[in-house]
Amino acid sequence: MYISYNWLKDFVDFDLAPQELADRLTLAGIAVESVTELGKDISGVVTGRIEKIDPHPNADKLVITRVNTGEEKLQIITAATNVKEGDVIPVALEGAKLAGGFVIKRAKLRGVESRGMMCSGQELGIDAKTMSAEQAHGIMILPPGTPLGRDAKEILGLNDFILELDLTPNRGDCLSVVGVAREVAALLGRPFRLAEPSFPETGENISGQVRVDIDAPDLCRRYVARLIKNVRIGRSPLWMQSRLRAAGMRPISNLVDVTNYVMLEMGQPLHAFDYDKLVDHHIIVRRAKDGENMVSLDEVLRELNQDMLVIADPSGPVAVAGVMGGLSTEVTDNTTSILLESAYFNPVSIRRTSKSLGLRSEASLRFEKGIDLGGCLQAINRAAQLIYDMDAGDVVNGVVDNYISPVSEKTIMFRPKRATYVLGLDIPKEKASDILSRLQFKVQDAGADLLVTVPTYRVDVSIEEDLIEEVARIYGYHEVPATLPSGSASHGAKTKEQSFRTMIADAMAGAGFNEVVTYSFTNPRVFDLMNLPADSPFRNTVKIQNPLSEEHSVMRTMMLPGLLEVLAKNFNRRMQEGAVFELGTIFTPGQEGHPHEERHVLAAAAMGRAPGNWKMQPREFDFYFLKGVLESIFRELGTEDVKFYPEKANPSFHPGRTATLDAGERKIGIIGELHPSVLEKYDLPERVVAFEIDFEGLYAVSGKPKVYNPLPKFPGVERDLAIVLKRENQAGDIMETIRKTGGKLLRSVSLFDIYHGEQVPAGYQSMAFALKFQAADRTLTDAEVSEVTAAIAAELSSRFGAQLRG
């Protein structure tokens, strides 16, 4: 929003420098992004009239002009084609400075002396977008009655400063000069003046000449119309053009300029219809019908729907309410009567319509933020006054004001004690009353408190805290004393669960895995990619009511699809190795009457090979590598009683290279190679290993305290035990039996060889274990170790039918 420094002075007297004013406004919550001085580089440019034009004797494209500046007559050579005798134009005298630092000097053009230069708008630093092409690139033509010899900066409004505001969404009232002027008056304690519009009306009455029906009262609470006859289309006064240009708008014609001027001045968008083009002179404010369309003023065909509010006549839409008018009722040079519109439209409706049509306008911007419902009549009367003052038309007596839902002013109790508590600053009741009164609030004394009536244009003020904020920002936030926080302080710490999550993340990172974060919502198609049957519980999802797309229409019930997408994206970019993990949340629908459930899950996936180093060769990410990672993490977390059992029924994993993780009687996860068809669907390499573990289940069996034992004083004894047994027996069960049978003397057991081939019967395998025996109080004898080893062999033979291998 651009605000003219000089325009503000129409409503409040002040003498602050522009930058100082900007600083005061910013401290009061009306942020000023920048202050720009118009005509900063311009000097020595005055108004002059062309009295004579003669051809140049030595150039076909140049002419010799005689220009009267009031004090002298200058000979100026120009190539401009848009000037004629009698035109008043800006003249840069010798020594004048123009935009860009260009200095005018006396010169000879093709042998003829030229003492100055006629100026275009761009040469005076005026934005070309705010002028017609002729005015921007040709010589700027001023109104015929413009006095001669006057400083062109003053005539063109270039002796001004522009404040660029960066308003918060709640301060729609400051999208107007009047709104900002109220703020300035309150800040400086100066009187604010806003006169009621005054103008004569013609003898005939608007009654019977205009009809307004509101068929969508929820979207339009008020519609005010005025009729202007005997319209005389022309250029608006130079002062009005200058102020519109300063605000970034291009002057068009006197009537259109009036509507834009009032919008900038008072914050109320207006629209002018060609009265004679309205069928039956009947305005209907209604929702559009599906399939309706309308050509807007920018000559674009707009497709409408029933969610949009339109201004229509009996033949169809003539404007998109609050956004843009229609071409069919445009005011042209042939217009003789206009119907002025000043209305209040629902902000949400205007925002949706504007977004749907891809059409933002200065009008829609103001309607979206909420305008003054009580100010519609005053704004349209201000426009009528300007039209009368410009002698641009005759204002018909009376006004049509269809005010379906009148606004009532809010009255709020302001308690100074409450304000002191909220602000930490004691502002006297009298001072608070004065501040609120300066902001144009009506204040009544209510004993220790104040009864405050909020004006209708302050739609952002609705509760007591809003009033407290108003008092604080005008009083000055800088007046709030700086104090240190007080009260009892406690030392923050993570919960046990939070610490457990951190330990897992650190352990996974230490194992060479990179943490990723994937979307919590996913595509239902991933269940097909994971080979899940139609009756799989994983397909029972929480559906998103308003998804961005089908790709993100349900909440995830498993973590692996997201990780596989990460690996696939990297693999497609020639990243052959990768190991990722995520500690995230999955979602399952709750039973009827119960909320949906969220569960934390630890998941990981890896492809390719783990990187090697100077003493270790790269190792392939396979089932055993991932199992080893988990086992090392379990030791770090103090996890016990987790066992691995073969799993062949999960359709997402390879049936011969997959295991479940059980903790007691509870299944807490799955680990293994992914099924080849899953890898094919994700366009991944031949082998990808992964696991998913229930976080709560893992947490429940973790946290066993670490016990540190002193180093042994006596040597240990190592024995190898090789047995032959049926292949269906699991190494984990055998090792558990060895541990239990070995008792306290057996310190460790590990599997170091598995063999099945010619030397072993079919259906059997050889397994070799390294056993270490050690006592804390003595050196073990061979007899003791042999006795325990024999007991272990006997127990293995009894339970598994194992035979010692010779």
Side-chain angles (χ1 to χ4, degrees):
M1 176 65 188
Y2 298 103
I3 295 292
S4 161
Y5 176 81
N6 290 340
W7 200 345
L8 287 173
K9 292 187 175 183
D10 288 357
F11 305 99
V12 58
D13 293 324
F14 60 90
D15 52 9
L16 287 181
Q19 187 58 56
E20 187 178 356
L21 176 64
D23 293 341
R24 293 288 296 272
L25 285 170
T26 300
L27 286 174
I30 310 299
V32 180
E33 284 289 295
S34 63
V35 178
T36 303
E37 182 182 355
L38 299 180
K40 178 182 179 181
D41 300 325
I42 309 300
S43 64
V45 182
V46 299
T47 56
R49 184 172 59 244
I50 301 174
E51 295 190 338
K52 188 173 179 56
I53 299 179
D54 294 316
H56 194 291
N58 303 320
D60 294 337
K61 294 185 178 181
L62 298 177
V63 293
I64 302 172
T65 66
R66 193 78 171 174
V67 179
N68 182 2
T69 64
E71 295 184 358
E72 59 180 329
K73 294 183 179 181
L74 304 174
Q75 178 175 284
I76 298 176
I77 311 299
T78 182
T81 59
N82 68 317
V83 293
K84 62 183 184 301
E85 293 179 357
D87 283 344
V88 180
I89 43 90
V91 180
L93 305 176
E94 291 180 53
K97 293 182 180 180
L98 302 180
F102 186 68
V103 179
I104 301 301
K105 300 178 180 178
R106 184 181 301 194
K108 281 190 176 184
L109 300 178
R110 292 292 184 93
V112 179
E113 186 178 63
S114 181
R115 297 180 53 203
M117 187 180 81
M118 303 178 191
C119 300
S120 68
Q122 278 191 299
E123 289 163 338
L124 296 176
I126 302 175
D127 189 345
K129 293 184 295 186
T130 65
M131 296 181 290
S132 64
E134 184 183 49
Q135 293 279 342
H137 304 292
I139 303 303
M140 195 170 192
I141 310 299
L142 305 177
T146 304
L148 305 182
R150 296 278 297 275
D151 187 344
K153 288 173 60 175
E154 178 185 348
I155 296 295
L156 294 171
L158 297 177
N159 57 340
D160 198 359
F161 295 83
I162 301 302
L163 282 61
E164 182 183 0
L165 307 186
D166 182 17
L167 298 172
T168 52
N170 64 313
R171 291 310 303 269
D173 61 299
C174 287
L175 287 171
S176 66
V177 177
V178 166
V180 177
R182 288 193 187 100
E183 293 290 315
V184 174
L187 281 170
L188 304 182
R190 303 290 178 84
F192 171 75
R193 54 179 181 269
L194 179 62
E196 282 296 322
S198 176
F199 51 89
E201 299 173 298
T202 62
E204 58 179 317
N205 196 284
I206 195 173
S207 178
Q209 300 191 67
V210 175
R211 178 183 171 187
V212 175
D213 291 327
I214 300 178
D215 291 348
D218 57 324
L219 302 183
C220 177
R221 294 176 60 182
R222 188 178 191 183
Y223 194 100
V224 183
R226 263 199 178 277
L227 181 57
I228 313 293
K229 290 193 171 182
N230 302 320
V231 165
R232 296 169 284 279
I233 306 292
R235 293 173 63 182
S236 56
L238 196 56
W239 61 267
M240 181 177 287
Q241 294 184 42
S242 299
R243 287 186 170 179
L244 291 175
R245 289 193 183 104
M249 302 188 76
R250 181 169 64 90
I252 298 173
S253 68
N254 49 8
L255 296 180
V256 176
D257 291 355
V258 162
T259 60
N260 288 332
Y261 185 88
V262 173
M263 177 181 68
L264 294 172
E265 183 178 71
M266 306 192 71
Q268 170 68 55
L270 304 176
H271 185 67
F273 298 97
D274 189 316
Y275 173 75
D276 296 318
K277 295 177 183 177
L278 290 170
V279 175
D280 298 335
H281 306 144
H282 184 190
I283 289 289
I284 307 167
V285 186
R286 61 170 173 83
R287 284 180 167 83
K289 300 172 184 177
D290 283 335
E292 276 191 315
N293 56 59
M294 184 201 77
V295 179
S296 52
L297 286 172
D298 55 1
E299 300 184 3
V300 176
L301 181 65
R302 304 290 178 179
E303 299 292 335
L304 309 175
N305 60 59
Q306 62 181 357
D307 294 329
M308 300 177 181
L309 185 69
V310 297
I311 311 301
D313 63 14
S315 68
V318 295
V320 180
V323 180
M324 185 173 284
L327 192 64
S328 63
T329 55
E330 179 186 20
V331 175
T332 67
D333 292 343
N334 299 321
T335 299
T336 58
S337 298
I338 64 169
L339 182 73
L340 278 180
E341 165 197 281
S342 177
Y344 177 92
F345 302 121
N346 181 278
V348 175
S349 171
I350 299 303
R351 181 163 56 250
R352 286 176 178 170
T353 299
S354 177
K355 183 177 180 180
S356 177
L357 294 175
L359 184 62
R360 295 296 300 274
S361 63
E362 290 288 339
S364 68
L365 172 67
R366 287 163 174 79
F367 280 122
E368 287 175 15
K369 296 185 182 301
I371 63 167
D372 179 13
L373 180 57
C376 295
L377 182 59
Q378 185 182 33
I380 203 169
N381 285 340
R382 171 61 170 157
Q385 179 190 42
L386 290 169
I387 290 172
Y388 171 78
D389 291 344
M390 291 189 299
D391 193 28
D394 301 327
V395 183
V396 173
N397 185 41
V399 62
V400 175
D401 189 357
N402 198 336
Y403 201 172
I404 290 181
S405 181
V407 63
S408 57
E409 293 182 329
K410 298 183 289 285
T411 300
I412 304 171
M413 183 69 74
F414 177 88
R415 297 168 293 173
K417 288 186 178 179
R418 171 67 178 168
T420 300
Y421 173 78
V422 171
L423 300 174
L425 178 67
D426 185 14
I427 300 178
K429 171 187 169 184
E430 294 75 16
K431 183 65 175 177
S433 176
D434 176 59
I435 290 174
L436 293 170
S437 297
R438 282 154 46 189
L439 284 167
Q440 311 301 307
F441 291 72
K442 298 176 185 176
V443 183
Q444 301 177 41
D445 194 288
D449 303 323
L450 299 173
L451 203 59
V452 181
T453 301
V454 182
T456 57
Y457 55 80
R458 287 303 303 271
V459 296
D460 59 309
V461 177
S462 57
I463 59 176
E464 184 180 15
E465 281 69 19
D466 293 331
L467 292 177
I468 293 172
E469 179 187 6
E470 293 299 298
V471 171
R473 67 186 188 82
I474 300 301
Y475 186 79
Y477 291 127
H478 59 284
E479 297 292 344
V480 177
T483 57
L484 293 173
S486 61
S488 58
S490 59
H491 179 69
K494 291 182 178 180
T495 64
K496 289 184 178 180
E497 187 172 325
Q498 289 171 334
S499 298
F500 188 68
R501 292 173 64 93
T502 302
M503 290 172 63
I504 289 177
D506 290 345
M508 290 296 296
F513 285 71
N514 295 300
E515 186 172 12
V516 298
V517 179
T518 60
Y519 286 117
S520 297
F521 30 80
T522 187
N523 190 332
R525 189 173 64 90
V526 300
F527 305 124
D528 296 329
L529 300 179
M530 297 298 292
N531 287 347
L532 297 180
D535 59 349
S536 171
F538 289 106
R539 291 183 181 270
N540 187 20
T541 59
V542 178
K543 295 178 175 58
I544 299 173
Q545 290 185 352
N546 187 25
L548 295 174
S549 67
E550 179 66 19
E551 297 291 319
H552 304 99
S553 59
V554 298
M555 304 302 292
R556 66 187 177 191
T557 55
M558 55 195 311
M559 299 284 292
L560 283 182
L563 298 184
L564 296 184
E565 289 176 9
V566 172
L567 291 183
K569 185 173 290 186
N570 282 276
F571 185 72
N572 291 334
R573 287 161 177 76
R574 299 187 178 183
M575 297 291 292
Q576 306 296 325
E577 283 83 28
V580 295
F581 80 95
E582 181 174 8
L583 187 53
T585 308
I586 61 172
F587 306 82
T588 54
Q591 301 298 325
E592 187 174 351
H594 294 81
H596 300 316
E597 297 179 2
E598 299 182 19
R599 288 178 29 238
H600 297 296
V601 171
L602 169 65
M607 64 180 180
R609 297 185 300 173
N613 54 44
W614 64 274
K615 64 177 182 178
M616 183 184 297
Q617 294 295 321
R619 181 176 173 183
E620 186 175 9
F621 286 123
D622 59 8
F623 173 87
Y624 297 105
F625 182 93
L626 205 57
K627 180 174 179 287
V629 168
L630 278 181
E631 288 175 334
S632 66
I633 290 174
F634 291 162
R635 288 193 294 271
E636 182 70 23
L637 299 177
T639 305
E640 57 183 6
D641 298 331
V642 177
K643 296 181 174 61
F644 296 82
Y645 293 100
E647 171 63 49
K648 297 183 179 181
N650 192 308
S652 300
F653 286 84
H654 193 294
R657 301 171 184 174
T658 304
T660 58
L661 286 77
D662 289 12
E665 297 181 357
R666 180 177 181 179
K667 179 180 177 181
I668 65 170
I670 188 168
I671 177 175
E673 287 188 20
L674 290 171
H675 198 285
S677 65
V678 173
L679 300 179
E680 183 179 358
K681 292 172 184 176
Y682 275 98
D683 195 21
L684 283 167
E686 293 181 358
R687 177 173 290 180
V688 174
V689 290
F691 68 71
E692 269 199 14
I693 300 177
D694 178 62
F695 176 83
E696 283 78 10
L698 180 61
Y699 180 70
V701 296
S702 300
K704 179 183 177 181
K706 294 181 179 179
V707 178
Y708 294 92
N709 296 314
L711 293 174
K713 298 179 180 179
F714 300 94
V717 178
E718 296 181 355
R719 294 283 176 89
D720 291 343
L721 180 66
I723 57 176
V724 177
L725 71 171
K726 290 184 178 180
R727 293 182 65 174
E728 61 262 23
N729 292 301
Q730 303 298 317
D733 295 335
I734 296 170
M735 292 174 69
E736 184 65 22
T737 300
I738 293 174
R739 289 191 187 97
K740 288 181 179 180
T741 307
K744 294 182 179 180
L745 294 182
L746 181 63
R747 283 299 180 95
S748 65
V749 57
S750 61
L751 175 68
F752 69 86
D753 182 60
I754 295 179
Y755 174 77
H756 39 80
E758 295 179 358
Q759 301 178 25
V760 176
Y764 285 76
Q765 64 182 354
S766 171
M767 304 179 74
F769 298 91
L771 311 180
K772 182 175 182 177
F773 300 92
Q774 195 169 34
D777 57 349
R778 67 188 188 280
T779 300
L780 294 175
T781 65
D782 286 342
E784 288 178 296
V785 173
S786 296
E787 182 181 352
V788 176
T789 304
I792 292 172
E795 182 67 20
L796 292 177
S797 176
S798 173
R799 288 196 60 186
F800 305 104
Q803 301 295 323
L804 291 176
R805 185 179 178 188

